[in-house]
Amino acid sequence: MGVTIKDIAKSAGVSYSTVSKALRDSPLVKEPTKKKILEIANQLGYRPNAAARSLVSKRSHTIGVVWPTIERVTHSALITGLNKQLEKHSYTTLISINEMKSAIDTFNRYQVDAIVAFDEKNSTSDVSGSTVPIVTYGIAGRSSFPTVDVQRKQAIMKAVNYLLSMGHQKISYIGDLEDDHLQKEKVNGFIEAIQKAEDPSACPVISVSDLEQYNGYMAMRKLLEHPNRPTAIISGSHDLSHGCMQAIKEHSLTVPNDFSLISYDNIPATEAFEVPLSTTGVPLEIITEQLAAALIALIQEEDIQEAIYLKPELNITPSCRQLNEGAVNEED
Amino acid sequence: MGVTIKDIAKSAGVSYSTVSKALRDSPLVKEPTKKKILEIANQLGYRPNAAARSLVSKRSHTIGVVWPTIERVTHSALITGLNKQLEKHSYTTLISINEMKSAIDTFNRYQVDAIVAFDEKNSTSDVSGSTVPIVTYGIAGRSSFPTVDVQRKQAIMKAVNYLLSMGHQKISYIGDLEDDHLQKEKVNGFIEAIQKAEDPSACPVISVSDLEQYNGYMAMRKLLEHPNRPTAIISGSHDLSHGCMQAIKEHSLTVPNDFSLISYDNIPATEAFEVPLSTTGVPLEIITEQLAAALIALIQEEDIQEAIYLKPELNITPSCRQLNEGAVNEED
DNA sequence: TTGTAAGCGTTATCAT
DNA sequence: ATGATAACGCTTACAA
């Protein structure tokens, strides 16, 4: 088996408690001794035993992430970002793709310091008796755990209001998805805000069967054939937007001349498009930062709020433009 | 903190070693005692402390998976499948999305029993001194660890040979991807096997920028515009195939009447298409089964082979048809 | 059938 | 500045 501090102690001719201190860089050990011990440890390929360490210190310095089974770019980006954030705070991230209940059970046995659960389809509802603190990422009020809520509804409303203020009256939302309360929240935001348009009925919500690029492509094609084309589009996810832009390009139309486009999902990848994409939503980095902060607060047994609402930001790029009244029809 | 076996012992009026035995379902404990202890444990919400357990038993009953950063349906399916397999053997799966080196380090500290690493871009090359045994999933001979190799090259060759035997002479391969040795392996298989065609130059390899559905869609559209359309397509991934079929359908053409189609990636999802997809490759379940078997063999310190080659299977469905010579041009 | 005790690798509290 | 030792929660001989 592995090298232990006792092996190092023997090799260095000191007691193993000295080794322990040296490895933790304690000021109670003289510099030369410390250096020598570190050298030997390195040379022997010592790796601290996490089990022993967390057994005595009651801390594993590890966060467990319960990953939803559904794969999406945003999820990946989110976990990657969270991973980085936690690394900054010198926490290790471990992921489980098991069903919520058993994943949480595993993390409890492993004594991770805290757990993040993506709230998907009410999956958090039947979780009971976790000794380890849990934070959910979803919609506040749906679970009994503190929740980081990115206010999807307001994010979309902001986008609608902005487009209205720019003179757009025919706005369409792409991204309704059955049985997905996260997506419904966005749709609700659209419907609520669009009531201020002159003719809300001219502002259709397009359903999709998934949130991938291809679905956005198909949805946009549908809109392109629409007798009364919108002048602006709001799309429910990064990938959908990607597909939209492809469809638009294919018809030799352009953003923003023919369509203004705002995408939900405020992730860095949107900057990479030909026309940088306007986005709405909480910037990815803020989400991961806040999630990390919430986790660390929980670990330090600080009382944290039941709901941590993050403020969506509208990030306008040249993918949107002012609409001069009447100009649209002339262009067509 | 959590409930320990001592708490249970106290509550049950027995010694804690009896509790330990009872919880492990040892025959050394009388039935009624056992039952009582189990009840109390349950009621108290006892969860074994994995740290303590693995500290003494030298076994964590956990497998670490180093997940590549790139997201693909097949990867998800693979990990999900592996997770299930390992569950069957009562192993827990933990995933890390950290860079290979540090992920392996983490898993070493956690004393997982074994590690699976997806060989991506030579990432396994600079891994040194893992006490924990490692299995890679990739191409044999590229890493210093035992490797499960699904023989991507032969898989594609099989598909080519089959299509040739069915009378197809104009076959196209969709899925070349820059800087991806796993994909290159497939392309090489295609090129090697297609030499047996009457005119290999009529059998183009289509490059894609990613392996997603949308890329398959675009690639297929390119082929549809081709002056000398192929009669059969081999596609490098499940998602690509999905996109192909959409493009074909959109042109009011059908599989297999206008195109025979074989997809790489032998995963169950392919059965869900309108026309069930012919596939080539090692069935997902066999891959995960063999990966699990290799891991468990390694854990039991059995010597395992450096390379475990899995045999690709051709799974023919109505998405392929016999081509009667000359018939194609008449149909056009 | 049950209880006692040693020990896993580490940290932390004392002594020295 | 360094060393001895108890403790963390659990498994496992061994003793009773």
Side-chain angles (χ1 to χ4, degrees):
Chain A
M1 273 289 308
V3 182
T4 76
I5 51 172
K6 291 189 181 169
D7 299 323
I8 300 176
K10 210 175 292 170
S11 177
V14 294
S15 84
Y16 70 86
S17 82
T18 304
V19 173
S20 171
K21 283 170 203 150
L23 290 172
R24 323 220 78 224
D25 200 27
S26 154
L28 300 175
V29 181
K30 258 209 298 208
E31 247 347 294
T33 327
K34 204 185 275 182
K35 205 178 149 198
K36 184 176 164 195
I37 290 175
L38 250 41
E39 240 163 44
I40 295 179
N42 241 314
Q43 187 198 315
L44 259 44
Y46 168 77
R47 312 208 198 208
N49 181 319
R53 193 172 264 187
S54 73
L55 186 56
V56 47
S57 67
K58 306 287 198 190
R59 281 277 128 96
S60 61
H61 252 75
T62 301
I63 305 287
V65 177
V66 184
W67 196 330
T69 21
I70 296 171
E71 296 305 325
R72 275 177 212 154
V73 172
T74 320
H75 281 162
S76 306
L78 221 152
I79 296 200
T80 307
L82 183 59
N83 194 53
K84 278 208 195 91
Q85 284 288 344
L86 291 171
E87 225 170 11
K88 268 191 213 163
H89 297 267
S90 41
Y91 274 88
T92 297
T93 308
L94 248 25
I95 299 164
S96 169
I97 55 166
N98 277 309
E99 168 244 340
M100 176 95 42
K101 209 176 150 71
S102 89
I104 288 182
D105 207 76
T106 300
F107 286 138
N108 265 273
R109 281 188 282 107
Y110 268 84
Q111 311 253 109
V112 300
D113 294 344
I115 296 172
V116 189
F118 286 69
D119 180 25
E120 186 194 329
K121 299 185 193 156
N122 303 319
S123 45
T124 47
S125 54
D126 55 16
V127 171
S128 66
S130 173
T131 314
V132 178
I134 299 177
V135 175
T136 50
Y137 174 69
I139 294 175
R142 289 185 63 96
S143 85
S144 50
F145 307 108
T147 301
V148 171
D149 183 331
V150 293
Q151 305 193 91
R152 293 156 183 85
K153 189 174 167 185
Q154 338 302 333
I156 299 296
M157 291 180 78
K158 265 195 164 170
V160 173
N161 290 336
Y162 175 77
L163 289 170
L164 287 172
S165 81
M166 293 293 276
H168 292 272
Q169 286 296 332
K170 289 180 290 178
I171 307 171
S172 192
Y173 180 80
I174 295 180
D176 191 17
L177 191 57
E178 226 177 328
D179 283 336
D180 186 323
H181 65 272
L182 261 36
Q183 305 313 318
K184 286 294 178 207
E185 191 82 357
K186 299 178 193 167
V187 172
N188 291 341
F190 179 76
I191 292 174
E192 190 169 327
I194 206 67
Q195 299 311 321
K196 281 189 239 144
E198 282 162 14
D199 178 13
S201 72
C203 299
V205 170
I206 310 293
S207 293
V208 291
S209 54
D210 207 336
L211 295 182
E212 295 185 19
Q213 184 178 347
Y214 181 77
N215 307 282
Y217 175 84
M218 292 311 280
M220 189 63 218
R221 287 186 51 155
K222 206 181 281 177
L223 282 176
L224 284 161
E225 287 156 19
H226 204 274
N228 190 16
R229 272 190 200 164
T231 61
I233 315 280
I234 299 172
S235 132
S237 88
H238 170 78
D239 288 338
L240 288 177
S241 306
H242 201 173
C244 284
M245 293 192 78
Q246 294 286 0
I248 292 169
K249 194 177 164 191
E250 231 176 79
H251 278 239
S252 306
L253 298 175
T254 66
V255 170
N257 287 330
D258 303 285
F259 297 98
S260 288
L261 178 57
I262 301 182
S263 173
Y264 185 82
D265 276 341
N266 210 331
I267 62 179
T270 45
E271 296 159 12
F273 288 129
E274 280 173 64
V275 179
L277 213 50
S278 300
T279 54
T280 186
V282 180
L284 182 76
E285 207 181 322
I286 293 189
I287 303 177
T288 56
E289 213 175 272
Q290 292 300 313
L291 265 174
L295 287 165
I296 284 163
L298 264 183
I299 291 172
Q300 272 143 21
E301 303 186 26
E302 291 164 18
D303 266 337
I304 76 168
Q305 313 148 47
E306 263 313 296
I308 298 158
Y309 292 103
L310 304 186
K311 197 164 151 249
E313 292 175 20
L314 202 51
N315 171 28
I316 298 301
T317 70
S319 82
C320 292
R321 65 162 192 136
Q322 170 83 46
L323 198 67
N324 353 6
E325 310 276 334
V328 189
N329 295 328
E330 287 166 33
E331 280 176 37
D332 267 342
Chain B
M1 273 289 308
V3 181
T4 76
I5 53 172
K6 290 190 181 167
D7 299 323
I8 301 175
K10 210 175 291 169
S11 177
V14 295
S15 84
Y16 69 85
S17 86
T18 306
V19 173
S20 171
K21 285 170 202 152
L23 290 173
R24 324 219 75 223
D25 200 25
S26 155
L28 299 175
V29 180
K30 258 210 297 210
E31 249 343 297
T33 326
K34 205 184 276 182
K35 205 177 149 198
K36 185 175 163 197
I37 290 175
L38 251 41
E39 238 164 45
I40 295 178
N42 242 313
Q43 186 199 317
L44 258 46
Y46 169 75
R47 312 206 198 209
N49 181 320
R53 194 173 263 187
S54 74
L55 187 56
V56 46
S57 66
K58 306 286 199 191
R59 283 277 128 95
S60 61
H61 252 75
T62 301
I63 305 286
V65 176
V66 184
W67 196 330
T69 21
I70 295 171
E71 296 305 325
R72 275 178 212 153
V73 172
T74 319
H75 280 161
S76 307
L78 220 152
I79 296 199
T80 308
L82 183 58
N83 194 55
K84 279 208 194 91
Q85 284 288 344
L86 291 170
E87 225 170 10
K88 268 190 212 163
H89 297 268
S90 41
Y91 274 88
T92 297
T93 307
L94 246 26
I95 300 165
S96 168
I97 54 166
N98 276 309
E99 169 243 341
M100 175 97 41
K101 207 176 151 72
S102 88
I104 288 182
D105 207 78
T106 300
F107 286 139
N108 266 273
R109 282 186 283 107
Y110 268 85
Q111 311 254 108
V112 300
D113 294 344
I115 296 173
V116 189
F118 286 70
D119 180 26
E120 186 194 330
K121 300 186 193 159
N122 303 317
S123 46
T124 47
S125 54
D126 54 17
V127 171
S128 66
S130 173
T131 314
V132 178
I134 299 178
V135 175
T136 51
Y137 174 70
I139 293 176
R142 290 183 63 96
S143 86
S144 51
F145 307 107
T147 301
V148 171
D149 183 330
V150 294
Q151 306 194 89
R152 292 157 184 84
K153 189 175 169 185
Q154 338 302 333
I156 298 296
M157 291 181 78
K158 267 196 164 169
V160 174
N161 290 336
Y162 174 78
L163 289 170
L164 287 172
S165 81
M166 292 294 275
H168 293 273
Q169 286 296 332
K170 289 182 291 178
I171 307 172
S172 192
Y173 180 79
I174 296 179
D176 191 17
L177 192 57
E178 226 178 327
D179 283 336
D180 187 322
H181 65 272
L182 261 36
Q183 304 314 316
K184 286 294 177 208
E185 191 81 359
K186 299 178 193 167
V187 173
N188 291 341
F190 179 76
I191 292 174
E192 190 169 327
I194 206 67
Q195 299 310 321
K196 281 189 240 144
E198 283 161 14
D199 178 12
S201 72
C203 299
V205 169
I206 310 293
S207 294
V208 291
S209 53
D210 208 336
L211 295 182
E212 295 185 19
Q213 184 177 347
Y214 181 78
N215 307 282
Y217 174 85
M218 291 312 279
M220 189 63 218
R221 287 185 50 155
K222 208 181 280 177
L223 283 176
L224 284 162
E225 288 157 18
H226 204 274
N228 189 17
R229 270 189 201 166
T231 62
I233 315 280
I234 299 172
S235 132
S237 88
H238 171 78
D239 287 338
L240 288 176
S241 306
H242 200 173
C244 284
M245 294 192 77
Q246 295 285 0
I248 293 169
K249 194 178 163 191
E250 231 176 79
H251 279 239
S252 306
L253 298 175
T254 65
V255 169
N257 287 330
D258 302 285
F259 298 98
S260 288
L261 178 56
I262 301 183
S263 172
Y264 185 81
D265 278 340
N266 210 331
I267 62 179
T270 47
E271 295 159 14
F273 287 128
E274 280 173 65
V275 179
L277 215 48
S278 300
T279 54
T280 186
V282 180
L284 182 77
E285 206 181 323
I286 294 190
I287 304 178
T288 56
E289 214 176 272
Q290 291 299 314
L291 266 175
L295 288 166
I296 284 162
L298 265 184
I299 291 171
Q300 272 143 22
E301 303 187 25
E302 290 163 20
D303 267 338
I304 76 168
Q305 313 148 47
E306 262 313 296
I308 297 158
Y309 292 103
L310 304 186
K311 197 162 151 252
E313 291 175 20
L314 202 51
N315 172 28
I316 298 301
T317 70
S319 82
C320 292
R321 66 162 191 135
Q322 170 84 45
L323 199 68
N324 354 5
E325 311 276 333
V328 188
N329 294 328
E330 287 167 33
E331 281 176 37
D332 267 342

